[in-house]
Amino acid sequence: MTGTNWAGNLTYSATKLLEPTSVEELQSVVAAAPHLRALGSRHSFNSIADTNGVQVSVAALPPEFSVNADRTGVTVSAGLRYGELIGHLDRAGLALHNLASLPHISVGGAIATGTHGSGDRNGSLASAVSALQIMRPDGEVHDYCRGDDDFDGMVVSLGSLGIVTYVSLDVVPTFEVRQDLFENLPWKSVTDHLDEITASAYSVSLFTNWGEQVDQVWLKSRSDDAPPPAELFGATPATRQLHPLPEESAVSTTVQLGVPGPWWDRLPHFQLAFTPSKGAELQTEYLVPRDRALEAIDAVRAIAHLLRPHLFISEIRTVAGDGLWLSPAHSTNCVALHFTWQPHMSEVQALLPRLDDALAPFAARPHWGKLFETDSARLAEAYPRLTDFRTLADRFDPEHRLANDLTSQWLGR
Ligand SMILES: Cc1cc2nc3c(=O)[nH]c(=O)nc-3n(C[C@H](O)[C@H](O)[C@H](O)COP(=O)(O)OP(=O)(O)OC[C@H]3O[C@@H](n4cnc5c(N)ncnc54)[C@H](O)[C@@H]3O)c2cc1C
């Protein structure tokens, strides 16, 4: 046994965890293991990173951080956590276009599941990937670049194509961001002005427990963009630092109250040195096309009485569409509806089909790294390139050595 995932809701069934320190050693590990799967920083809530064989971490491979000659891209170790990568980027005067709510996750794990932050014009973290080095299950190392045949199928891979060793990412010159929070946004403002609200800053997050109003709105504005609005459709400007979970100390959150700071210290909600979010929790998230967002929000509000007893908080964000086959934002701009559940595993599991049924009419796509109950037929409908991905997975891994029960069920293979 190799322990539990970050949230502790899952004990992996893998027989061992290996951390090779060279590509040659990784090759031997891959050659010897009948069944294997890459493990990142363990932050997924379902068994996507599990196997009944060997888990392989690439965190101990020789570290890599190199900047392209034109300073528009970097190549990094897939096992690097964003929290480590941002130090390298900062020293080079560079930035990623966006980050997730936490910097604790690995690059390889985040891109494999389509992890995203927020922002109308910000694609998922995977959308910044320009090249990948993948060790396929036959032990061969292959380099793939944006524009290569099927590259768009390889980035959000669910860990099903091989072990990603190194990743190239688009970068931009460093920038500063300020966070301005508002409290108690009326639902009517969301209904009437959702597009204006999400366009009011570089990255916008709405936090709610689906009660009388949206409890908090976080505006993350670039210093080189327009300043944040002084008023936000009836919400009240926050006058103290907040945590999305009202009962938690805000000491773990990134600096707010309009104080500008580096991109990496404002785009995530939580600081690297602290436990992000709550810790003992579960998560679920669906992305819906923007033009179905208000209907989807209404559908969740209609079952809020069922969800609330098991919910810590929900977050509503936006994600720009991309071309990646299994990206939850594939080919359409999206609104993401996220649920941070209390650690009530059986009750949450019982609710998941209900939530899935409520959101299915709006072409909702579940986040691959979180908890959901969507059958393979609906997944194939929601992800139009799923069948192409299955064909790709069969080509990369004909003996299904990387498959696990969950991915086999999702992909129908
Ligand atoms: C507190 C918290 C906050 C979160 N916030 C967000 C958020 O803001 N936005 C969001 O979208 N998600 C969020 N997530 C979900 C999280 O980003 C995803 O679950 C992500 O996949 C976790 O990355 P990881 O490195 O822990 O990967 P793991 O959970 O360890 O693995 C995930 C998948 O990646 C594969 N993988 C890992 N490394 C490699 C590799 N080198 N090669 C090939 N495959 C690999 C694994 O096989 C597995 O399939 C959050 C999770 C937590 C716990």
Side-chain angles (χ1 to χ4, degrees):
M1 303 277 243
T2 60
T4 67
N5 64 341
W6 172 85
N9 65 296
L10 178 73
T11 299
Y12 295 125
S13 51
T15 52
K16 55 184 163 183
L17 169 63
L18 297 176
E19 288 194 86
T21 55
S22 68
V23 171
E24 294 70 31
E25 192 186 338
L26 175 62
Q27 247 152 351
S28 318
V29 166
V30 169
H35 292 283
L36 72 157
R37 204 155 174 82
L39 179 67
S41 61
R42 303 172 180 253
H43 283 81
S44 293
F45 291 87
N46 57 31
S47 57
I48 187 169
D50 202 8
T51 170
N52 57 15
V54 174
Q55 280 176 322
V56 182
S57 163
V58 293
L61 285 187
E64 168 75 21
F65 175 80
S66 56
V67 182
N68 294 359
D70 64 3
R71 294 176 51 81
T72 59
V74 295
T75 298
V76 307
S77 321
L80 208 60
R81 294 176 187 236
Y82 283 90
E84 299 163 321
L85 171 57
I86 58 187
H88 294 289
L89 289 168
D90 194 45
R91 283 188 288 280
L94 296 170
L96 295 168
H97 74 292
N98 208 0
L99 288 167
S101 70
L102 75 174
H104 306 61
I105 50 178
S106 76
V107 173
I111 64 173
T113 61
T115 289
H116 60 90
S118 187
D120 287 359
R121 283 171 289 147
N122 293 329
S124 70
L125 304 188
S127 70
V129 175
S130 63
L132 290 170
Q133 187 176 85
I134 305 180
M135 185 177 293
R136 285 163 55 159
D138 59 6
E140 295 270 327
V141 176
H142 295 260
D143 290 294
Y144 301 97
C145 296
R146 190 184 277 147
D148 287 352
D149 284 350
D150 299 336
F151 182 75
D152 285 351
M154 297 176 198
V155 185
V156 182
S157 70
L158 318 182
S160 294
L161 300 180
I163 313 291
V164 177
T165 48
Y166 295 97
V167 181
S168 299
L169 299 169
D170 298 334
V171 292
V172 294
T174 190
F175 56 93
E176 286 209 326
V177 177
R178 57 182 279 179
Q179 296 194 85
D180 295 87
L181 273 60
F182 289 81
E183 296 185 84
N184 303 327
L185 177 74
W187 278 113
K188 174 131 179 48
S189 299
V190 176
T191 311
D192 294 349
H193 302 286
L194 181 62
D195 287 348
E196 290 146 280
I197 292 166
T198 66
S200 62
Y202 183 70
S203 163
V204 176
S205 289
L206 285 68
F207 288 98
T208 181
N209 71 0
W210 308 99
E212 291 303 305
Q213 72 274 309
V214 169
D215 307 294
Q216 300 176 13
V217 185
W218 292 38
L219 304 187
K220 298 173 192 265
S221 312
R222 286 179 62 137
S223 300
D224 51 3
D225 271 352
E231 297 196 345
L232 195 73
F233 303 103
T236 314
T239 52
R240 66 206 152 93
Q241 179 97 2
L242 300 175
H243 190 289
L245 278 63
E247 69 282 5
E248 292 295 307
S249 160
V251 70
S252 61
T253 56
T254 47
V255 173
Q256 305 163 12
L257 297 167
V259 180
W263 61 279
W264 51 265
D265 202 21
R266 299 292 184 276
L267 291 176
H269 304 327
F270 305 107
Q271 297 184 48
L272 183 63
F274 292 85
T275 299
S277 190
K278 174 76 176 176
E281 66 188 65
L282 305 168
Q283 294 189 11
T284 297
E285 189 167 30
Y286 284 88
L287 277 71
V288 298
R290 268 202 89 114
D291 58 359
R292 311 302 304 272
L294 287 175
E295 293 169 276
I297 287 171
D298 280 349
V300 176
R301 290 184 70 196
I303 57 167
H305 58 288
L306 302 176
L307 311 181
R308 208 174 294 116
H310 307 293
L311 194 65
F312 279 129
I313 200 72
S314 269
E315 182 176 6
I316 302 173
R317 305 180 260 192
T318 55
V319 189
D322 60 50
L324 305 175
W325 295 359
L326 292 193
S327 166
H330 174 74
S331 79
T332 182
N333 295 332
C334 287
V335 171
L337 306 178
H338 163 86
F339 304 82
T340 301
W341 306 109
Q342 298 180 42
H344 303 165
M345 191 63 181
S346 49
E347 291 88 343
V348 169
Q349 258 168 337
L351 276 175
L352 291 177
R354 192 71 196 266
L355 183 59
D356 199 81
D357 286 347
L359 292 173
F362 315 111
R365 294 179 180 143
H367 187 309
W368 297 110
K370 302 187 180 183
L371 298 173
F372 61 91
E373 292 285 341
T374 309
D375 65 38
S376 56
R378 203 181 82 66
L379 277 178
E381 212 176 296
Y383 285 92
R385 302 299 300 267
L386 195 85
T387 310
D388 295 327
F389 182 80
R390 188 169 59 210
T391 305
L392 191 64
D394 283 342
R395 181 150 64 80
F396 274 56
D397 180 25
E399 293 166 356
H400 296 203
R401 291 169 57 210
L402 293 163
N404 68 21
D405 289 349
L406 196 63
T407 57
S408 296
Q409 178 197 321
W410 290 342
L411 300 175
R413 77 193 270 265

